[in-house]
């Protein structure tokens, strides 16, 4: 199993350019998430999805859009990149909650994005 | 609001020392879940443990142990006889009754184990 795969691993953009980060999972998970990690800030949730065709905002959604057209894929888009969006982006997925167990989120390897 | 505090930003120890990473959480939920993740220098996030709020039993897995105390809202992580391979950033995280979409991370503790 590949688990959670993120594409690309590295990217450099100029201010104002657009790009899409792709996340794919092969675990048949219902939930998918996008986080950003900045030095000293931990991980902060950007957007998430609880199922195909649904998305919702997280803690820091401004400047990003997402789409979940297929259950296994979750796309993160930057329409007009800004230097403040320089970060490491992580995708994660998890099962729908069952019983008394909390959902374990499984993470991809991350995408390092620099916006100049 | 939910919050996770990892007061130790960086810790440096010598191999074979024991080390404890602190995690203090805040939540109004009666049912919640606590997690620890490891982020080695390679960058990926690796799940270590999950604990729900109704289970205060401490857990031991090899050199790793976790101490969950609801009375002090803490979920501390101890590595016994540390090794160089334990060097990583460790994150404590919390999710509440709203579902896993409410996972909140602490800012992480960077552990360096020197030979």
């Amino acid at each position: 199993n590949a688990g959670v795969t993120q594409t690309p691993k590295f990217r450099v953009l100029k201010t104002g350019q657009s790009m899409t980060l792709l996340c794919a999972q092969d675990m048949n998970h219902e939930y998918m998430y996008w986080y950003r990690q900045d030095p000293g800030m931990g991980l902060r949730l950007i957007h998430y999805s609880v199922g195909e065709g649904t998305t919702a905002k997280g803690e820091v959604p401004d400047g990003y859009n997402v789409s979940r057209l297929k259950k296994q894929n979750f796309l993160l888009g930057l329409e007009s990149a800004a230097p403040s969006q320089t970060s490491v982006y992580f995708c994660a997925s998890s099962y729908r909650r069952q019983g008394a167990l909390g959902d374990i989120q499984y993470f991809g390897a991350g995408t390092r994005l620099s916006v100049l | 609001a939910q919050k996770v505090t990892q007061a130790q930003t960086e810790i440096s120890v010598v191999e074979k020392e024991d080390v404890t990473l602190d995690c203090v959480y805040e939540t109004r939920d009666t049912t919640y879940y606590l997690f620890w993740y490891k982020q080695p220098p390679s960058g990926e996030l690796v799940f270590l443990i999950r604990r729900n709020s109704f289970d205060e039993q401490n857990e031991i897995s090899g050199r790793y142990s976790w101490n969950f105390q609801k009375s002090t809202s803490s979920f501390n992580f101890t590595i016994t006889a540390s090794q160089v391979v334990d060097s990583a950033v460790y994150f404590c995280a919390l999710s509440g009754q709203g579902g896993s979409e409410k996972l909140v991370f602490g800012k992480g503790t960077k552990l360096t184990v020197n030979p």
Side-chain angles (χ1 to χ4, degrees), chain B residues 5-84:
Chain B
T5 301
Q6 295 180 258
Q8 303 151 308
T9 305
E10 293 192 36
I11 300 175
S12 181
V13 299
V14 177
E15 208 170 17
K16 296 184 183 178
E17 284 186 23
D18 298 346
V19 58
T20 296
L21 309 182
D22 297 332
C23 173
V24 174
Y25 62 91
E26 296 175 28
T27 180
R28 294 179 180 177
D29 292 337
T30 54
T31 302
Y32 53 89
Y33 306 88
L34 295 162
F35 303 79
W36 277 94
Y37 283 85
K38 175 182 180 180
Q39 186 177 41
S42 53
E44 75 276 19
L45 279 146
V46 179
F47 165 77
L48 294 178
I49 189 172
R50 169 186 60 197
R51 174 68 75 224
N52 74 57
S53 54
F54 297 109
D55 184 1
E56 286 192 74
Q57 281 190 341
N58 293 332
E59 180 151 342
I60 298 174
S61 176
R63 296 183 297 106
Y64 295 173
S65 62
W66 290 269
N67 182 275
F68 175 30
Q69 291 193 337
K70 288 179 74 171
S71 60
T72 56
S73 297
S74 64
F75 186 44
N76 296 339
F77 174 29
T78 297
I79 302 175
T80 303
S82 60
Q83 299 177 1
V84 173

